[in-house]
Amino acid sequence: MSEPVSLGQFEQLVLTAILMLSGNAYGVTIHARVEDLAKPKRVSLGAVYATLDRLEDKGLIASWLSDPTPERGGRSKRHYRLESSGERALRDAARTARRICDAIEQSEASAWSRRARKWKPAPQQ
Amino acid sequence: MEQKGPKVETRPPAVIDWFVRVLIPPAVREAVVGDLWERYRSPLQYASEAMKVLPYVVASQIRRSTNLPLLATQAVLLFGCLGGFVAKEGPRASAIDAPTWQGAALAATAALIGLVLRDAYRKTERWSARRGVFDIVTVVSCVLLSQALIAVAASPDWLLSPTRALLFAISALPGLFVLRLVLGLDGDLRLSSPSAGDAPSVDDLARDYQAFAHRARVRNGVFVAAGLFIVTTGAAFLWYFVNPPPVGYLFVAGHVLVVAYIVLMGAARPMPQAIGFIAAAAHYRGELDRQRRLFRFMWWWFLLPLFLGIAMQAITPGLRSGEILRTLFGTAAVLLLVVFVAMLNRDRARKFQAKIATLSKLAGDD
């Protein structure tokens, strides 16, 4: 079995965007979707390109050039899709994030119950 | 009556677009410029977005195209050949004028930046001798630029003397040419098979072997060209230099012998006619192994003067004069160079081994 790939938070956002866009994932649409996911943070288009290159080098996504389109000055789009290793890495990251959420909720709930036990209403005069 | 409103531009002005296209590395130009066109709202927005994207895409291309052991080897080669290890002052000063180590470091850094950017802006991975020549032109231009900057803004002590510049050209440029060109010659190490899943026939193997022999011939041609350059410029240098050291004659004579060996014995031997698949595969494997050994030897041979130079110019004078820092610096440079060259060799040897293993498998040897 292959080593689990560790993903940074921004890489997770980009992989999620590609997953959501399925057949229409290219620079502009991925950037728009990542901005939605990262709100209220602003995301630079250049950071998305750099992350896409890195994910491709890790073998988590694959890319290909589409036919040229007139609205892009006759230039092609570079489309991206998740590889199976990318999907696996994203699911692992999601499971870890869920465990973190659960742990935070649990600790918040126990802190709340401790505070509730300590709290005593003031005697009525 | 038709009303004429202000004309809305849906494409960036040609001049700005031209600048953006020039600045974006060719490998990502098509997709990135297309995306920027799609997001176009005004010339100012287009230009500012392009300038924001540029550092990211250039940095990403640098990361993708940079081979760290090769970069480090080039750094030591440039610094050493620019006289960075030579004593500038005192009784151990070199007979050949050298800049201070700061001057050598600045010139070497300028040349390295030029090479890194050239790799990032390379249009294609395809090998060509022109590419090697442009690499050398880049190095020379960057060193000259660094000299102009030093002359204007820094100490004249940091400048290269004409003799040192000539020595740099003799010692560093052929080494760089060989290092960068030969690493790009991987075409001979991919075994082409007629179609996926089919085992190649003897004819396929013979065709593949011909391509390998051609690549080996080209690679050896690069070695010979670099060797001849060293022999001619080295001889000119010895003639020009008053009382040249005997090691200089040995250096030139050694290169003459190596060039003669490559010309006479370096080529891959032609595959015998009418032999079976197993014999053809064995012949191919034998030649691959021979070329691998020749390649490894040439690698070390072109870098040998650098090792000797560092030992003679940094380690020995440091030991004699009791300068511990100088000795440590020289020793560290030699050790690091050995590690980097070994890493490059190992990477190359792995590719040769992979092909030899493929041939063994096809011939049913395992």
Side-chain angles (χ1 to χ4, degrees):
Chain A
M1 197 169 154
S2 59
E3 280 276 300
V5 183
S6 64
L7 295 173
Q9 194 192 31
F10 197 69
E11 289 177 330
Q12 291 173 27
L13 287 174
V14 171
L15 284 178
T16 310
I18 297 173
L19 183 75
M20 291 166 81
L21 289 161
S22 54
N24 190 32
Y26 68 98
V28 174
T29 54
I30 295 170
H31 174 253
R33 196 50 64 96
V34 170
E35 278 223 309
D36 270 354
L37 292 166
K39 265 177 190 166
K41 270 192 205 167
R42 296 293 305 275
V43 173
S44 127
L45 181 62
V48 171
Y49 288 132
T51 309
L52 286 168
D53 284 349
R54 205 168 49 244
L55 291 170
E56 196 171 18
D57 292 344
K58 287 182 181 178
L60 302 177
I61 57 175
S63 75
W64 70 97
L65 282 173
S66 70
D67 291 333
T69 54
E71 73 270 19
R72 296 165 60 86
R75 294 186 181 87
S76 312
K77 292 174 184 170
R78 182 163 287 280
H79 281 279
Y80 294 90
R81 68 170 159 74
L82 283 190
E83 293 283 33
S84 54
S85 55
E87 275 187 48
R88 215 168 30 242
L90 191 57
R91 278 184 219 294
D92 287 346
R95 270 194 289 273
T96 308
R98 199 164 296 140
R99 281 198 294 273
I100 292 170
C101 283
D102 291 348
I104 291 170
E105 276 170 13
Q106 257 181 16
S107 87
E108 276 179 351
S110 57
W112 188 85
S113 65
R114 270 202 304 277
R115 276 201 297 274
R117 275 202 300 274
K118 279 181 190 169
W119 182 75
K120 285 176 187 163
Q124 290 205 345
Q125 303 211 341
Chain B
M1 190 180 153
E2 192 185 340
Q3 278 196 336
K4 281 190 177 175
K7 195 182 167 193
V8 180
E9 285 288 341
T10 55
R11 55 169 58 196
V15 178
I16 299 178
D17 189 45
W18 181 83
F19 268 110
V20 170
R21 275 190 284 120
V22 167
L23 291 173
I24 304 278
V28 293
R29 191 175 289 156
E30 175 88 3
V32 171
V33 176
D35 285 354
L36 291 173
W37 266 61
E38 212 178 307
R39 291 161 64 96
Y40 176 78
R41 287 194 302 276
S42 70
L44 189 66
Q45 172 272 336
Y46 181 79
S48 85
E49 186 149 56
M51 288 307 109
K52 282 182 200 158
V53 161
L54 188 67
Y56 287 99
V57 290
V58 172
S60 185
Q61 281 308 304
I62 288 175
R63 184 188 61 75
R64 284 183 137 184
S65 61
T66 302
N67 176 338
L68 278 180
L70 177 63
L71 185 72
T73 308
Q74 290 175 146
V76 180
L77 180 70
L78 285 165
F79 183 72
C81 294
L82 283 163
F85 296 105
V86 181
K88 174 73 179 167
E89 288 156 356
R92 301 287 167 202
S94 164
I96 302 159
D97 282 345
T100 56
W101 70 266
Q102 295 98 323
L106 207 79
T109 307
L112 277 180
I113 290 172
L115 287 173
V116 164
L117 286 176
R118 203 176 131 58
D119 282 341
Y121 279 85
R122 183 156 282 155
K123 275 188 185 142
T124 166
E125 283 301 305
R126 216 177 56 216
W127 187 94
S128 77
R130 213 174 119 215
R131 184 176 120 175
V133 172
F134 274 106
D135 284 350
I136 296 305
V137 171
T138 306
V139 169
V140 172
S141 311
C142 291
V143 170
L144 288 176
L145 189 69
S146 74
Q147 296 304 292
L149 285 176
I150 289 171
V152 172
S155 160
D157 282 355
W158 292 19
L159 286 170
L160 293 171
S161 69
T163 322
R164 174 58 60 181
L166 180 65
L167 196 64
F168 167 72
I170 297 170
S171 52
L173 299 184
L176 277 174
F177 185 75
V178 169
L179 263 176
R180 296 175 61 81
L181 266 193
V182 168
L183 274 183
L185 261 176
D186 275 348
D188 54 340
L189 298 174
R190 286 191 291 268
L191 185 65
S192 50
S193 98
S195 60
D198 285 358
S201 64
V202 183
D203 289 342
D204 294 328
L205 205 60
R207 258 198 306 278
D208 203 70
Y209 184 79
Q210 272 175 4
F212 156 74
H214 171 71
R215 290 287 184 176
R217 208 165 35 242
V218 173
R219 188 174 48 234
N220 290 338
V222 172
F223 287 144
V224 168
L228 286 177
F229 178 81
I230 292 174
V231 169
T232 46
T233 48
F237 187 79
L238 290 175
W239 177 75
Y240 165 82
F241 199 45
V242 183
N243 296 326
V247 73
Y249 291 108
L250 277 176
F251 177 72
V252 173
H255 275 282
V256 170
L257 286 177
V258 169
V259 166
Y261 177 80
I262 297 173
V263 170
L264 297 172
M265 313 282 288
R269 296 182 192 105
M271 193 174 275
Q273 297 289 317
I275 55 170
F277 187 88
I278 292 175
H283 178 83
Y284 198 162
R285 266 187 336 228
E287 278 304 311
L288 268 171
D289 198 43
R290 201 171 74 85
Q291 291 297 329
R292 180 181 62 82
R293 278 185 276 120
L294 179 66
F295 177 85
R296 192 176 52 193
F297 168 75
M298 292 308 296
W299 208 239
W300 287 107
W301 172 251
F302 275 105
L303 290 171
L304 181 69
L306 186 62
F307 286 104
L308 294 176
I310 298 173
M312 282 162 61
Q313 294 174 342
I315 301 174
T316 316
L319 283 173
R320 282 186 187 154
S321 60
E323 292 172 86
I324 297 170
L325 263 179
R326 189 182 182 78
T327 311
L328 284 178
F329 183 52
T331 312
V334 168
L335 289 176
L336 284 175
L337 197 59
V338 169
V339 170
F340 298 141
V341 176
M343 281 165 83
L344 287 171
N345 256 333
R346 197 182 52 194
D347 183 43
R348 186 75 191 181
R350 203 178 292 135
K351 290 175 182 168
F352 270 103
Q353 285 304 335
K355 182 145 187 177
I356 291 172
T358 311
L359 288 168
S360 300
K361 205 171 156 191
L362 287 172
D365 284 2
D366 50 359

